[in-house]
Amino acid sequence: MTTTAPARLPTGCPPLPPRHWLRTGWVMTASGWSANQFSALLGAYHSGPGLTAATTSALFGVYVLGLIPGLLLGGPLADRRGRRPVVFSALAISALATALLMAGATATGLLWPGRFLTGIGAGALLSAGSAWIKELSSPPYDTVSAAGAAARRSGLFLSAGFATGGLAAALTAQWAPAPLITAYLPHLALSAAAALLAARTPETATPGGQLAAATTAAPVPAPAPAPAPGTAFRRLVAPVAPWVFVAPSIALATLPGLVDAGLTGWQTVYAGIVTAVTPGTGLLVAPLARRLAARHRIATAVAGLAAVILGLLLAALAVACVRPDAALLAAAVLGAGYGLCVAYGLTEVAALAPPDRLARLTARFWALCYLGFCTPYAITLLTGWFTPATVLLAAVVPAATTLALITHRGTRCGTRRPV
């Protein structure tokens, strides 16, 4: 009888570390999915329960009212109590919110608390999950990943949730029975799967804000207190942050309803395609973001804002001509702007934040980002006085101003970040 010796790694090759960040990443996907599943159903709420455009835009924005406290409370809480308890609590809140949205098919008043709780759950998941992935992508949990990998991973998992959540909800609503109920079932399944995967992931922070890794890794001296990181955040990150979601919110919540008049019976499917294309393009530009970041500190932000400006111009043209195909192209360009801007912001935050304040600085970034989700409601209000195409053209002005400001400040700051 012969036996086979176990396979060995080649001499000199260290064993690959466990990919804990990969299991935690699904938490970010669940967050993006919960946010975008409602966006693809706006047309269905028009034709089904008969909600007005102003009501659906307001429901779209109520999400932000819950998300900002979810971020601002979830981040500091994750620094004090640990990543795991915040993530699991947020997943439970997110599942409850989805259940309320399902009940809102027959009792539309429940849509308001459902959207509000969706924001709270997504906000806490974003802040705690981003910090968790960052720490799991660093020693001692990960000794092989390159600098900046954590920011890219967070953005990719989030974008995957945005892209697939809206498309899955739209396709389910188009062909499944009781569409405004069954469209939400996939998110419940994803939340349960994300919880099971995260349960096997080590905690990286202990109560009191100390890194759990400190017990197994060599101590790292705390950086001397200095105003540079906070100043850099305010000057270089904060102006870009709102544009992260101004771009996709226009593509998801504004464009489909303005160009789908000739798509009778297929409006929901078209909206689902838009919700997949927009963040999907954000996923595709990740390699470009990495190359741009290697060239200059603000190169990714400059390219992202330029894409947002181009997307707004294309969106105005599509709306003026009522062209669904042009609107789809505009959504793709706006999605590229989203992907580049979010990669820039997360990379900067990861580089600037001290370890014991990572979750709260991440939360501040996401809170500023999600202010952009109020844009569709603002556009709806302004169209009482101006045409939608005019409003979209007017949005180019603040975007171009931000681009000029970041270019000026980034050039003066140089290519390197403060360490």
Side-chain angles (χ1 to χ4, degrees):
M1 180 177 178
T2 60
T3 58
T4 302
R8 297 174 180 268
L9 290 172
T11 304
C13 293
L16 293 176
R19 295 186 176 185
H20 296 302
W21 58 266
L22 184 59
R23 291 196 294 269
T24 308
W26 293 101
V27 168
M28 301 292 287
T29 301
S31 176
W33 190 298
S34 70
N36 229 18
Q37 59 183 349
F38 181 83
S39 307
L41 301 175
L42 295 180
Y45 281 109
H46 284 307
S47 58
L51 301 182
T52 65
T55 299
T56 54
S57 294
L59 282 167
F60 189 83
V62 163
Y63 168 80
V64 180
L65 296 181
L67 185 133
I68 291 179
L71 285 167
L72 298 181
L73 296 176
L77 191 62
D79 283 335
R80 291 196 304 268
R81 302 295 183 185
R83 315 309 186 201
R84 185 189 301 275
V86 175
V87 162
F88 278 90
S89 298
L91 282 171
I93 292 172
S94 185
L96 173 61
T98 294
L100 289 173
L101 292 175
M102 295 170 69
T106 54
T108 55
L110 294 177
L111 294 174
W112 298 94
R115 284 294 287 167
F116 182 77
L117 288 177
T118 297
I120 290 180
L125 284 174
L126 283 173
S127 55
S130 296
W132 208 359
I133 291 175
K134 197 271 182 184
E135 290 157 357
L136 291 170
S137 299
S138 307
Y141 304 102
D142 186 345
T143 58
V144 298
S145 294
R152 291 191 295 271
R153 288 165 180 169
S154 294
L156 288 173
F157 275 105
L158 180 66
S159 296
F162 280 137
T164 53
L167 181 61
L171 295 178
T172 304
Q174 182 71 22
W175 286 291
L180 296 182
I181 296 176
T182 55
Y184 293 108
L185 291 176
H187 176 251
L188 295 179
L190 176 61
S191 297
L196 289 174
L197 290 169
R200 300 172 54 199
T201 306
E203 175 62 82
T204 56
T206 57
Q210 301 298 318
L211 290 181
T215 61
T216 58
V220 178
T231 302
F233 181 88
R234 290 191 297 271
R235 290 176 60 82
L236 295 177
V237 180
V240 178
W243 295 101
V244 168
F245 286 133
V246 166
S249 67
I250 289 174
L252 304 178
T254 300
L255 285 183
L258 296 175
V259 299
D260 65 359
L263 302 175
T264 305
W266 295 93
Q267 289 95 333
T268 300
V269 171
Y270 177 75
I273 293 173
V274 171
T275 58
V277 166
T278 305
T281 310
L283 281 168
L284 293 177
V285 299
L288 174 61
R290 185 165 57 250
R291 290 194 295 269
L292 289 172
R295 289 177 174 270
H296 194 282
R297 178 178 184 176
I298 64 161
T300 313
V302 169
L305 290 168
V308 171
I309 292 170
L310 177 58
L312 289 171
L313 293 173
L314 291 171
L317 177 64
V319 170
C321 300
V322 194
R323 293 285 301 271
D325 53 346
L328 196 60
L329 175 61
V333 177
L334 289 168
Y338 149 77
L340 293 168
C341 288
V342 75
Y344 165 78
L346 288 174
T347 301
E348 283 292 311
V349 168
L352 292 171
D356 61 340
R357 297 183 62 86
L358 176 60
R360 66 189 68 191
L361 192 62
T362 303
R364 286 175 58 192
F365 168 69
W366 284 119
L368 292 172
C369 289
Y370 271 96
L371 291 176
F373 258 67
C374 298
T375 305
Y377 187 64
I379 291 175
T380 301
L381 294 179
L382 290 173
T383 51
W385 292 276
F386 308 98
T387 66
T390 301
V391 176
L392 290 170
L393 280 176
V396 170
V397 176
T401 302
T402 306
L403 174 58
L405 180 66
I406 291 299
T407 302
H408 173 69
R409 289 178 174 177
T411 302
R412 293 181 62 188
C413 288
T415 62
R416 296 183 62 84
R417 300 177 184 86
V419 178

